[in-house]
Amino acid sequence: MERNAQEAGQGKKGKFIAFEGIDGSGKSTQIKRLAERLKKENIDFYMTMEPTDAPIGAMIRQILKGQMKADPRVIAALFAADRLDHLLNDANGIASKVETGTTVITDRYYFSSYAYHSVDMPMEWVIQANEQSAGILRPTVTVFIDVEPDTAMERIIRNREQQELFEKKSRLVEVRKKYFEAFDRLKDVEKIVIVDGNGSPEKTQEAVWKEIRDCLAAK
Ligand code: ADP
Ligand code: TYD
């Protein structure tokens, strides 16, 4: 299948890098370290995340915090809408940033939807609900920080309030499985790299940097 224009070798476009991982994978830690490294190397970039801090993203965060109730299908649709707004809004839409040469790094993109929502509904539905986003902007590379659910759970317990442990653990297992199912399903159209995140932050950081350096150096 044809890759997006960004990868078709038109040098002026920016790279678009998406980070993915289960909760507790150390994704936020790695993104922070990457930002510091890029600054040190004098490489310009725009850092962003999903859910966004725009109105649809704010509504999603209310739901995630339990302040608002919504059906899983509604939540999946809100994430898809938040993503389109993330891409297209006039103020800081990332599609035009990439188009005009900015390197954009996002903490989560559509693979989060494929993995998290396909626990409750068919993955095909979730992929279709995000078809517009995939058509507008496919990541140059998706970096998946892979951590064993037990390790992720230990990190979460060590650092956050201990609650709903069993439920949480089985969910981490399921979401990780769904990530791999999505990667396999889309391997012909997406560039995905899997970085081992089970070791120290430093070790993971080195592995992430190697991937990012290669991605930025590629045409
Ligand atoms: P995520 O964004 O994937 O949920 P975080 O980066 O917030 O994960 O990491 C979860 C917790 O685990 C944080 O308290 C962080 O300090 C810690 N942590 C992150 N990476 C590692 C690592 N490689 N080894 C041990 N602890 C880590
Ligand atoms: P957040 O607090 O940002 O978590 P993290 O630091 O782990 O990224 O919350 C985001 C949560 O939303 C996380 O549990 C994954 C979930 N999510 C979805 O369910 N669908 C999506 O499309 C996205 C982007 C995130």
Side-chain angles (χ1 to χ4, degrees):
M1 197 187 267
E2 204 180 62
R3 307 303 301 251
N4 59 2
Q6 176 190 336
E7 288 192 72
Q10 302 174 10
K12 280 174 277 161
K13 296 195 178 185
K15 300 282 168 41
F16 178 46
I17 300 162
F19 276 85
E20 296 286 353
I22 59 173
D23 298 291
S25 62
K27 180 170 52 64
S28 310
T29 304
Q30 290 304 323
I31 290 173
K32 199 165 148 246
R33 284 169 175 251
L34 174 62
E36 284 160 9
R37 180 77 188 247
L38 289 169
K39 276 185 204 144
K40 219 168 82 188
E41 306 271 344
N42 284 319
I43 298 169
D44 286 333
F45 63 96
Y46 178 79
M47 191 65 88
T48 183
M49 67 182 169
E50 294 185 4
T52 67
D53 49 16
I56 304 168
M59 191 186 285
I60 291 170
R61 287 194 192 280
Q62 276 190 300
I63 296 168
L64 292 178
K65 281 191 227 149
Q67 293 163 352
M68 213 178 121
K69 258 186 85 84
D71 182 271
R73 288 163 290 192
V74 174
I75 300 173
L78 281 173
F79 270 109
D82 186 43
R83 183 159 301 124
L84 279 170
D85 184 57
H86 193 198
L87 286 163
L88 300 173
N89 83 79
D90 286 342
N92 53 7
I94 57 173
S96 68
K97 286 190 190 295
V98 170
E99 188 70 27
T100 53
T102 304
T103 291
V104 174
I105 299 168
T106 185
D107 184 344
R108 298 194 181 281
Y109 194 51
Y110 48 58
F111 271 106
S112 285
S113 281
Y114 304 163
Y116 283 82
H117 307 303
S118 67
V119 173
D120 300 307
M121 64 199 89
M123 190 179 290
E124 193 52 41
W125 185 93
V126 187
I127 292 174
Q128 275 175 22
N130 284 278
E131 213 175 8
Q132 285 292 324
S133 294
I136 295 165
L137 191 59
R138 235 180 245 288
T140 317
V141 63
T142 295
V143 180
F144 180 69
I145 309 288
D146 189 30
V147 167
E148 288 300 324
D150 279 326
T151 307
M153 201 64 215
E154 277 165 28
R155 290 180 189 170
I156 293 168
I157 293 168
R158 209 182 308 137
N159 298 291
R160 294 177 209 166
E161 279 173 35
Q162 195 166 335
Q163 54 186 349
E164 293 173 43
L165 287 192
F166 294 113
E167 209 183 307
K168 186 95 189 172
K169 162 82 192 294
S170 63
R171 185 149 178 98
L172 292 182
V173 169
E174 257 190 305
V175 171
R176 180 170 178 267
K177 198 170 122 220
K178 291 293 182 187
Y179 263 119
F180 280 104
E181 202 180 307
F183 294 153
D184 189 51
R185 207 175 168 127
L186 296 164
K187 61 180 183 294
D188 294 339
V189 285
E190 300 279 353
K191 179 166 169 54
I192 297 141
V193 299
I194 297 175
V195 168
D196 182 356
N198 292 290
S200 69
E202 292 73 24
K203 198 169 163 229
T204 309
Q205 186 184 355
E206 273 318 301
V208 167
W209 177 245
K210 192 178 160 290
E211 297 297 342
I212 301 301
R213 200 189 46 201
D214 291 353
C215 170
L216 294 178
K219 270 220 157 188

